[in-house]
């Protein structure tokens, strides 16, 4: 009977590995080097596949690392599903080579044999990547759970650096026009976010971008993710702030549900951001008091772009000029990450360029 890896078990393994990858704990140089080399070879399916194989073994050492399919044997498992799990729970933290929700939808994995060591249809240009990947699988199959967890953390550490470099490249592409004030920039952003909703993606990207200007550990969850919160801030590996972003009018129940979800995730504070064209202001005093009584969470509400940016600046040392300088590029990067349309991304750049 094949091995079914439970999402909760995979998530526990992933979050622990992320914490280790962010720490100063020494990690195996072999897996650091191999991850770097595999990424440099440029065949992205193998990067995602290696991540999936590593987390699978680190979650349950019974799995046969040579398997890619649950039908491949009694210790078989679905490598494809595990790779898709890594995509779903990425939140911009690491780079898997591909932005696809199905990063292994390519040959030789798609339609190939159930065992990796039985692959034969390897394109010549992909042969170096496959050979290195097979070397990794060979060594991974000998590791116990603890060893695989260390190897997975090394993989994540390398791919987190790749993600950081990619974000840095994106952020230098958009600059505020010379002499533009923070208030002028935020007025432009207010109109843009309310007009270009994109199913809520634009609002989520904007909130994450504002926080990026003053904080590390900001996570932007995929649109309509099955987990609570649209944006999260992590400190020391745990969620400290959970944020829900709404681009439609909401009532007090949405705020109280957010506080309840934040408490379940161990977050001590929550923020509801409403960026909707039609929205009746909420009774914040009543919401704060009720959230504190029911969930023990410090809950706040922001109902405009300017209010959000001002609050973030005030509670981070009055850094509004810093937000002005960094926000245009940070917003562009987050829009690209969450899948805002190319036309909307272009409009953001055009709005700023027109005032240059």
């Amino acid at each position: 009977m094949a091995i079914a890896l439970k999402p909760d078990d995979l998530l526990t393994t992933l979050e622990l590995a992320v914490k280790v990858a962010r720490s100063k704990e020494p990690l195996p140089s072999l897996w650091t080097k191999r991850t770097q080399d595999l990424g440099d070879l440029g065949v992205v399916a193998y990067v995602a596949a290696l991540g999936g194989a590593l987390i699978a073994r680190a979650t349950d050492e019974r799995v046969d690392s040579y398997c890619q399919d649950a039908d491949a044997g009694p210790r078989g498992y679905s490598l494809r599903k595990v790779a898709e799990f890594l995509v779903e729970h990425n939140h911009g933290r690491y780079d898997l080579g591909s932005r696809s929700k199905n990063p292994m939808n390519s040959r030789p994995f798609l339609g190939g044999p159930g065992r990796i060591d039985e692959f034969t249809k390897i394109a010549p240009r992909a042969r170096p990547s496959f050979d290195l990947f097979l070397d990794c699988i060979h060594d991974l199959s000998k590791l116990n759970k603890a060893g695989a967890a260390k190897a997975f953390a090394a993989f994540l550490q390398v791919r987190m650096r790749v993600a950081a470099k990619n974000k840095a490249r994106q952020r230098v592409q958009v600059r505020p026009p010379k002499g533009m004030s923070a208030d002028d920039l935020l007025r432009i952003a207010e109109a843009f976010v309310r007009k270009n909703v994109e199913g809520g993606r634009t609002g989520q990207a904007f909130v994450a971008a504002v926080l990026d200007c003053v904080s590390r550990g900001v996570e932007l969850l995929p649109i309509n993710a099955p987990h609570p919160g649209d944006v999260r801030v992590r400190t020391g590996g745990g969620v400290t702030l959970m944020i829900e972003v709404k681009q439609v009018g909401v009532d007090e129940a949405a705020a109280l549900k957010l506080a309840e979800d934040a408490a379940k995730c161990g977050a001590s504070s929550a923020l509801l951001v409403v960026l909707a064209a039609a929205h009746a202001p909420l009774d914040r005093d009543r919401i704060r008091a009720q959230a504190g009584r029911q969930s023990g969470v410090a809950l706040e509400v922001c109902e405009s772009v300017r209010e959000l940016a001002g609050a973030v600046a005030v509670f981070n040392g009055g850094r509004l000029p810093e937000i002005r300088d960094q926000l245009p590029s940070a917003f562009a990067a987050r829009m690209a990450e969450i899948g805002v349309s190319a036309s909307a991304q272009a409009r953001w750049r055009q709005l700023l360029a027109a005032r240059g």
Side-chain angles (χ1 to χ4, degrees):
M1 184 176 181
I3 296 174
L5 297 169
K6 298 179 180 178
D8 286 349
D9 294 338
L10 288 169
L11 187 58
T12 298
T13 302
L14 173 60
E15 295 307 319
L16 179 58
V18 166
K19 185 176 182 179
V20 172
R22 287 172 172 165
S23 73
K24 295 181 179 180
E25 183 175 333
L27 295 171
S29 58
L30 172 66
W31 289 99
T32 297
K33 182 66 165 58
R34 281 182 165 175
T35 303
Q36 291 170 339
D37 290 346
L38 193 63
D40 290 343
L41 288 171
V43 183
V44 297
Y46 290 113
V47 175
L50 179 58
L54 286 165
I55 189 176
R57 186 80 175 184
T59 301
D60 190 334
E61 64 184 30
R62 296 176 302 161
V63 301
D64 183 347
S65 296
Y66 283 100
C67 292
Q68 72 140 344
D69 193 277
D71 296 331
R75 295 167 56 214
Y77 73 103
S78 175
L79 178 57
R80 178 188 304 276
K81 288 183 179 178
V82 177
E84 290 170 357
F85 170 91
L86 284 177
V87 172
E88 181 184 352
H89 294 83
N90 185 348
H91 315 323
R93 293 178 290 184
Y94 44 82
D95 185 296
L96 284 177
S98 169
R99 292 185 178 180
S100 170
K101 294 180 180 179
N102 314 106
M104 290 175 56
N105 271 2
S106 61
R107 295 189 181 278
F109 298 101
L110 189 63
R115 289 185 60 85
I116 294 165
D117 52 351
E118 295 176 358
F119 285 0
T120 57
K121 296 181 179 180
I122 311 297
R125 71 174 188 85
R127 173 57 66 177
S129 295
F130 174 72
D131 289 343
L132 177 54
F133 175 68
L134 190 58
D135 288 342
C136 292
I137 294 300
H138 176 73
D139 288 341
L140 177 59
S141 67
K142 300 176 182 179
L143 295 180
N144 60 17
K145 185 174 182 178
K150 287 276 191 179
F152 181 49
F155 169 88
L156 286 178
Q157 190 175 77
V158 173
R159 300 312 300 180
M160 288 165 79
R161 290 178 190 145
V162 173
K165 288 179 181 178
N166 290 340
K167 287 180 182 178
R169 281 195 293 267
Q170 287 177 313
R171 289 187 180 186
V172 299
Q173 296 175 0
V174 186
R175 298 183 183 279
K178 188 175 181 180
M180 175 176 280
S181 69
D183 282 337
D184 285 342
L185 174 63
L186 294 172
R187 275 195 291 271
I188 294 170
E190 185 87 58
F192 177 83
V193 170
R194 291 180 186 274
K195 185 176 181 180
N196 299 274
V197 176
E198 301 254 331
R201 289 177 174 82
T202 310
Q204 286 185 218
F206 182 80
V207 172
V210 171
L211 291 167
D212 282 336
C213 296
V214 299
S215 178
R216 299 181 66 182
V218 179
E219 296 178 358
L220 174 59
L221 276 69
I223 194 72
N224 297 324
H227 310 288
D230 295 317
V231 179
R232 298 178 177 183
V233 177
R234 287 182 177 270
T235 305
V239 178
T240 54
L241 172 62
M242 181 178 289
I243 305 157
E244 191 80 20
V245 186
K246 298 293 186 182
Q247 291 195 260
V248 295
V250 296
D251 57 17
E252 294 178 9
L256 297 175
K257 179 64 165 57
L258 170 60
E260 180 184 334
D261 289 339
K264 290 178 180 177
C265 289
S268 58
S269 55
L271 175 64
L272 176 64
V273 181
V274 186
L275 304 174
H279 168 69
L282 300 174
D283 187 334
R284 302 187 188 189
D285 288 338
R286 184 165 60 198
I287 290 171
R288 289 189 196 102
Q290 195 166 344
R293 286 195 305 269
Q294 293 180 353
S295 306
V297 168
L299 174 67
E300 288 296 334
V301 177
C302 288
E303 295 170 289
S304 73
V305 160
R306 182 61 180 82
E307 183 182 13
L308 169 68
V312 169
V314 166
F315 290 104
N316 287 276
R319 297 161 70 178
L320 202 55
E322 192 171 334
I323 292 176
R324 176 202 60 207
D325 293 341
Q326 296 183 21
L327 181 60
S329 293
F331 189 23
R334 289 298 193 175
M335 282 194 286
E337 177 185 336
I338 202 169
V340 169
S341 68
S343 59
Q345 293 181 53
R347 279 195 294 275
W348 172 244
R349 291 172 171 80
Q350 291 162 3
L351 280 171
L352 297 183
R355 289 162 174 79

